[in-house]
Amino acid sequence: MIMCSPFQSRIKMKLIFYIIAAGSLFVAGCKGATDPDRLINSKASLPSTFRLSELHEKVITSLINKKVGTMSILYGDEHFKNATQESNLNVPGNSFTLVTWKQQDDAHWFGARIPGELISAETINIGNHTNFVTYRKFMGKNLLLSADTTGQNERIHFILTQRPSIIP
Amino acid sequence: MANLSNQFAAYRTFRLPDRDLLNLFVPEIIIMKKYFLPAVSFIVVLLVSLQFFRPRLDDPPVTQDFQAPKAVKNILVRACYDCHSNETKLRWYDQVQPVYWQVAAHVRDGRKGLNFSNWDKLAPADRKAKLWEAVNQIEQGAMPVKSYQVVHPNARVSPKDLIVLKKYLTSMIHDLPEDTAKINAFEHQRKSLVSVDRQKLPKTLNDITYLPDYKNWQVISTSDRFDNGTMRVIYGNDIAVNAVKTNHNNPWPDGTIFAKAAWDKLEDRNGNVTTGAFKQVEYMIKNAEKYRSTNGWGFARFKTPKLTPYGKTAIFTTECMNCHKPMKDNDYVFTFPIKN
């Protein structure tokens, strides 16, 4: 009799709702982990043939080009420790790699952009004694060596005039 | 009167055979009935007496209420204020025990992490950061709390509401090319750099020592944070990199360490952005056993080139955990790692 008054049935409904909600949260909590593959940024990954990791280069700085929506990391085999050196990277024997990606929105954080499609990797080797600079550009998802040499000098200048980040 | 008792008699004649039939063919029910009533009465008595044990929940004063355009404010008041302000408006059904326990705990913990009624207690930059965090918690489905939302359907933040909130946030971004304050901060840091004393490396209150070696680790990603004008590089140690290579990145194996370094963004007139002043380096160290109380990760943050350990008390990690919590299905990690 009491249990049938509309007022009480609302209590019951709310309580039942709460219990169901708590129960389904338990289930949701056990929903399980995301598939590891889906968490890898494969679009931005470098082909294993490029073997960047085997060069053991260190981060020198990172860059964003807002106009074209790209982001890059400049690696080098010398660690420019306190960035106190004058920004001259042009030292005999140094080598560098600049990896550039198209930016994409971070699906995990509204407020961040992260690497999207891999655009290019540019390498620079400065001769040990000769100061002769070798520049190469690898393009696209598979980082294929590009035969196009236009604008090389600008790129060399751009890369070698970067200032190292402060990385304490 | 006679009419009524007739009806009653009719009811009895209708019901009795029914019951007898049950009693005859299903004797177990008798046993069940024997225990059912005491059990139910026990639960009822328990529930009733529980109503007298109530956690304290009062409404401290509103020192300064959060201000925003009406459309934005309305959404947050409707969906969040019950737990994230001192203007909690509990409905009667929230106050029935044992539900009330959970509600009170939600309000207490909710206010601790984010309180729209004490907006003056936050520095301007922290206010902005909290709002971005709030909108991200909504987008990832972590807020408002699910069980609360089921009982308070009008607290739901619709996709339309979310767009209103996001537009409000992006309207507050004012990127400034050639920002002199940032340039000066960078130049000042460069000039005053001292090498770190390796003998006494700084340590956080949860006992994590700064790890200088992160600079030699591999990069697993980078991030352009337009919400707070910084850019970041995320490094992983060998165990992390190996886990990425072999797709064993969820959960991450014990021994995994991430380091995330952050800098101001310095923008020139052509939209070229480079790293300015160093803000901080943060670590997440995986050890499911040792760091069980913090979701399996040891959290640490060292600020500025002086590497000042962050956190006034050891529970600063609550702040890290709360913001990383929506990533719980990804072992609390935001970054989508890149294979090198």
Side-chain angles (χ1 to χ4, degrees), chain A:
Chain A
M1 160 75 166
I2 282 172
M3 293 307 267
C4 293
S5 88
F7 180 73
Q8 288 293 331
S9 78
R10 271 192 64 192
I11 296 192
K12 246 171 62 183
M13 288 291 281
K14 291 286 179 190
L15 277 173
I16 289 168
F17 258 143
Y18 241 122
I19 290 162
I20 293 173
S24 54
L25 270 188
F26 253 69
V27 177
C30 307
K31 181 181 83 194
T34 318
D35 180 0
D37 292 351
R38 280 184 37 214
L39 293 170
I40 304 268
N41 189 346
S42 32
K43 234 202 275 187
S45 288
L46 277 63
S48 54
T49 47
F50 193 73
R51 296 177 189 280
L52 176 69
S53 59
E54 286 166 32
L55 295 176
H56 298 290
E57 291 182 331
K58 319 282 183 272
V59 174
I60 289 179
T61 188
S62 52
L63 316 158
I64 297 162
N65 187 325
K66 240 173 108 172
K67 266 199 191 138
V68 290
T70 60
M71 61 205 305
S72 313
I73 294 185
L74 178 62
Y75 298 90
D77 52 8
E78 183 105 350
H79 180 230
F80 288 84
K81 213 166 92 199
N82 287 324
T84 39
Q85 289 97 335
E86 271 322 295
S87 40
N88 186 13
L89 302 183
N90 195 350
V91 176
N94 272 355
S95 49
F96 302 96
T97 309
L98 181 70
V99 181
T100 302
W101 297 272
K102 185 91 195 140
Q103 286 191 316
Q104 66 172 342
D105 287 334
D106 183 350
H108 285 163
W109 187 261
F110 171 65
R113 295 190 195 94
I114 56 171
E117 257 158 68
L118 180 61
I119 296 176
S120 66
E122 295 158 271
T123 62
I124 283 184
N125 291 288
I126 307 171
N128 257 327
H129 309 292
T130 55
N131 255 14
F132 183 77
V133 176
T134 318
Y135 170 91
R136 282 192 289 184
K137 184 165 190 174
F138 303 85
M139 300 283 292
K141 174 85 202 139
N142 296 315
L143 291 183
L144 300 176
L145 183 61
S146 163
D148 185 4
T149 57
T150 48
Q152 267 195 12
N153 287 339
E154 285 81 0
R155 291 307 292 167
I156 293 170
H157 177 77
F158 175 78
I159 291 171
L160 293 182
T161 51
Q162 290 304 316
R163 287 170 111 184
S165 299
I166 297 172
I167 310 179

Side-chain angles (χ1 to χ4, degrees), chain B residues 44 57 73 183 214 239:
Chain B
V44 168
L57 191 65
K73 173 99 185 247
I183 293 170
Y214 76 92
I239 295 175

Side-chain angles (χ1 to χ4, degrees), chain B residues 275-319:
Chain B
T275 58
F278 173 84
K279 308 296 272 187
Q280 62 195 26
V281 58
E282 295 173 295
Y283 300 98
M284 278 168 70
I285 303 172
K286 180 75 188 261
N287 186 328
E289 195 54 40
K290 184 171 174 192
Y291 299 121
R292 199 186 345 203
S293 66
T294 49
N295 298 332
W297 293 96
F299 291 93
R301 174 187 288 168
F302 300 91
K303 295 189 65 103
T304 77
K306 293 200 179 86
L307 301 169
T308 313
Y310 176 79
K312 290 196 182 79
T313 58
I315 55 158
F316 75 88
T317 51
T318 308
E319 191 187 323

